[in-house]
Amino acid sequence: MGLGRVLWAGALASSAVAIGLGAIKGEEGPAVDRELFELVNRGAGPAADRALVGITELGSFYASGAAAGALFALGRRRAAFSALGAAGTTWLLLQGAKRIASRPRPADVDPHDVRLLIARPAAASWPSSHPAVLTAFTRVASRELLLGSLARVGLGCLDATVGISRVYVGVHYPSDVASGLLLGRAVARLWPRAGSA
């Protein structure tokens, strides 16, 4: 593994932590985070509600498992195992980070003013694991499958959409999502290429 990859991953992870600290303990961060949350969580109508409730689960580890199963069935076994390993490692790392941060979810802080469209997840709010898990999976899978830049941009848009959906459905603040996206990218940067470990 090259030094450049390690430095990039460190910068991504450090940025994620800085965003989290700024939003949780900063002077202006909590107010800005709350304002952005309210802007996204206010909703855009029943059709958007249904769409984003469905999209949000694409970031679950179960969805990564299903995608890995599809890759395996298509004969892309190394890519399937590598991407699923990155997604699983990301999920485990973020569960530990959640225990350390112990940030209450938006509905815990303000239960009367939050539109909660799905069941409240059990773990703490920071960082958001759904976009992190999906990002780690899509980054590693796209690298192993040698996907072109257009496909990578499309998958990046999917990662971001799942992140936005977590705010829209009321279970995360924007800073949780931003940190999750960065941490997923950090794990993907460090993840060894299939066959090179």
Side-chain angles (χ1 to χ4, degrees), residues 70-145:
L71 288 174
F72 188 89
L74 291 170
R76 306 306 300 262
R77 292 176 174 87
R78 287 193 336 187
F81 286 125
S82 188
L84 188 60
T89 299
T90 302
W91 185 85
L92 287 171
L93 288 171
L94 268 66
Q95 296 313 301
K98 286 173 181 286
R99 287 179 181 269
I100 293 167
S102 293
R103 184 182 198 187
R105 291 195 182 257
D108 297 334
V109 174
D110 198 357
H112 302 296
D113 290 333
V114 171
R115 283 178 0 110
L116 191 58
L117 302 183
I118 62 172
R120 183 208 178 279
S125 195
W126 186 91
S128 179
S129 61
H130 274 58
V133 165
L134 181 61
T135 297
F137 185 93
T138 59
R139 292 268 164 184
V140 171
S142 64
R143 184 180 69 209
E144 298 302 328
L145 297 170

Side-chain angles (χ1 to χ4, degrees), residues 8-21 86-87 89-98 101 125-137 139-140 159 175-191:
W8 262 111
L12 291 166
S14 297
S15 298
V17 171
I19 289 170
L21 286 172
T89 299
T90 302
W91 185 85
L92 287 171
L93 288 171
L94 268 66
Q95 296 313 301
K98 286 173 181 286
S125 195
W126 186 91
S128 179
S129 61
H130 274 58
V133 165
L134 181 61
T135 297
F137 185 93
R139 292 268 164 184
V140 171
D159 301 340
S175 62
D176 302 336
V177 167
S179 293
L181 288 166
L182 290 168
L183 290 167
R185 288 181 69 131
V187 171
R189 282 268 178 188
L190 293 174
W191 200 256

